[in-house]
Amino acid sequence: MDAGFGRILDQDTDNLFLQQEGIEASAKRGLTLGNYQEIRIRHFEQAVDRYVAMPPLRPGR
């Protein structure tokens, strides 16, 4: 891996603290998602939730 990659990860980690502070400081509950990529993420998470909630399949059915 490139040596500069560690600096990128450090920057991302440092940003997480500021993002969390901003979320906690907001008067609005919840997050506002963007129009395309983040809606796709929400749909994916909802699909995973539905899949996990399904009853297990029995062998031979």
Side-chain angles (χ1 to χ4, degrees), residues 33-53:
L33 299 177
N35 284 335
Y36 182 68
Q37 288 294 339
E38 293 176 347
I39 287 175
R40 292 180 67 200
I41 293 168
R42 179 179 7 179
H43 173 74
F44 172 77
E45 294 294 336
Q46 290 171 346
V48 169
D49 288 344
R50 286 192 302 271
Y51 179 78
V52 170

Side-chain angles (χ1 to χ4, degrees), residues 2 4 6 9 13 28 31 40 43 53-54 61:
D2 185 76
L9 293 178
T13 303
K28 185 179 121 190
L31 299 173
R40 292 180 67 200
H43 173 74
M54 291 172 50
R61 287 187 117 194

Side-chain angles (χ1 to χ4, degrees), residues 1-21:
M1 234 182 254
D2 185 76
F5 187 65
R7 286 192 303 269
I8 294 170
L9 293 178
D10 289 342
Q11 288 174 350
D12 289 346
T13 303
D14 291 343
N15 288 335
L16 289 176
F17 298 112
L18 296 173
Q19 289 175 358
Q20 186 65 36
E21 284 180 3

Side-chain angles (χ1 to χ4, degrees), residues 22-33 42:
I23 290 170
E24 291 172 358
S26 177
K28 185 179 121 190
R29 294 183 59 103
L31 299 173
T32 300
L33 299 177
R42 179 179 7 179

